[in-house]
Amino acid sequence: NLLSNNVSKITPAGVSTILGTTGGNPYGIAIDSAGNIYTSNVNSNNVSKITPAGVSTILGTTGTHPYSITIDSAGNIYTANYSSNNVTKITPAGVSSILGTTGSYPYSITRDSVGNVYVANSSSANVTKITPAGVSTILGTTGTYPKGITIDSAGNIYIANSGSNNVSKITPAGVSSIIGTTGSTPYSITIDPAGNVYTANYNSNNFTKITPAG
């Protein structure tokens, strides 16, 4: 909850509670296999951890304005730092480091099964790939003002372009294409096992579905 600096839990029966508190203005959220919740706190430049029992701590610090967050199978946390143009890695022990640099104003982040991290750079209209060793490259280009990012099982990257109202696909080899149009100002994106892509469209208050055929 961005303005109240906490995380809500809603049960399948619809019962809502405040699970725990966060740092300043939590924006991104992730969960690990043990049920711990992590938030990237945009105004305090850190990551909160909330246990399933509701115990809240600051796990580690980040770069400036961490808008999004992801986690790997070992429990390492990664944040895309919008104003410092880099990615922070925080270990389960709370050790923070800069994993690598990005393009201009990275907004969202995802990772693949072998540990590479990908960020959508909203101002430079491209995607950065950062290896586990911290080597940063531009994987491919996007539409204008890319916001959301996701990845499929084959390693293809999909990006919701909030300025051009479409979705980009970038192959592991770096080939970029537009696969379909969306509603107005798509901010977030996901993909199902059949390869259908879905975007949540901020200004048109709807969802777009794009099939693998476009």
Side-chain angles (χ1 to χ4, degrees), residues 13-212:
V15 178
S16 299
T17 57
I18 298 300
L19 180 64
T21 57
T22 68
N25 298 106
Y27 206 91
I29 191 167
I31 187 169
D32 68 18
S33 58
N36 297 294
I37 302 292
Y38 303 85
T39 64
S40 55
N41 306 311
V42 171
N43 278 357
S44 54
N45 300 325
N46 53 23
V47 167
S48 293
K49 176 181 178 180
I50 306 174
T51 69
V55 178
S56 304
T57 57
I58 298 298
L59 180 65
T61 57
T62 68
T64 309
H65 299 146
Y67 270 105
S68 59
I69 188 171
T70 191
I71 187 170
D72 68 20
S73 58
N76 298 295
I77 299 291
Y78 305 84
T79 64
N81 306 313
Y82 184 80
S83 296
S84 54
N85 298 329
N86 54 23
V87 167
T88 296
K89 176 182 178 180
I90 306 176
T91 69
V95 178
S96 300
S97 60
I98 298 301
L99 178 66
T101 57
T102 68
S104 182
Y105 296 112
Y107 190 86
S108 57
I109 190 168
T110 192
R111 56 178 300 277
D112 65 22
S113 59
V114 295
N116 298 298
V117 171
Y118 305 85
V119 295
N121 304 306
S122 61
S123 185
S124 53
N126 53 23
V127 167
T128 297
K129 175 182 178 181
I130 307 176
T131 69
V135 178
S136 300
T137 56
I138 298 300
L139 179 65
T141 58
T142 67
T144 56
Y145 296 107
K147 294 290 188 183
I149 190 170
T150 192
I151 188 170
D152 69 16
S153 58
N156 298 295
I157 303 293
Y158 301 84
I159 308 96
N161 303 309
S162 68
S164 50
N165 299 327
N166 53 22
V167 168
S168 293
K169 175 182 178 180
I170 306 176
T171 69
V175 178
S176 303
S177 61
I178 300 296
I179 66 164
T181 58
T182 67
S184 180
T185 322
Y187 263 43
S188 56
I189 190 169
T190 191
I191 188 169
D192 69 20
N196 298 296
V197 172
Y198 305 84
T199 64
N201 306 311
Y202 181 80
N203 279 336
S204 53
N205 301 326
N206 53 23
F207 289 92
T208 297
K209 175 183 179 181
I210 304 174
T211 68

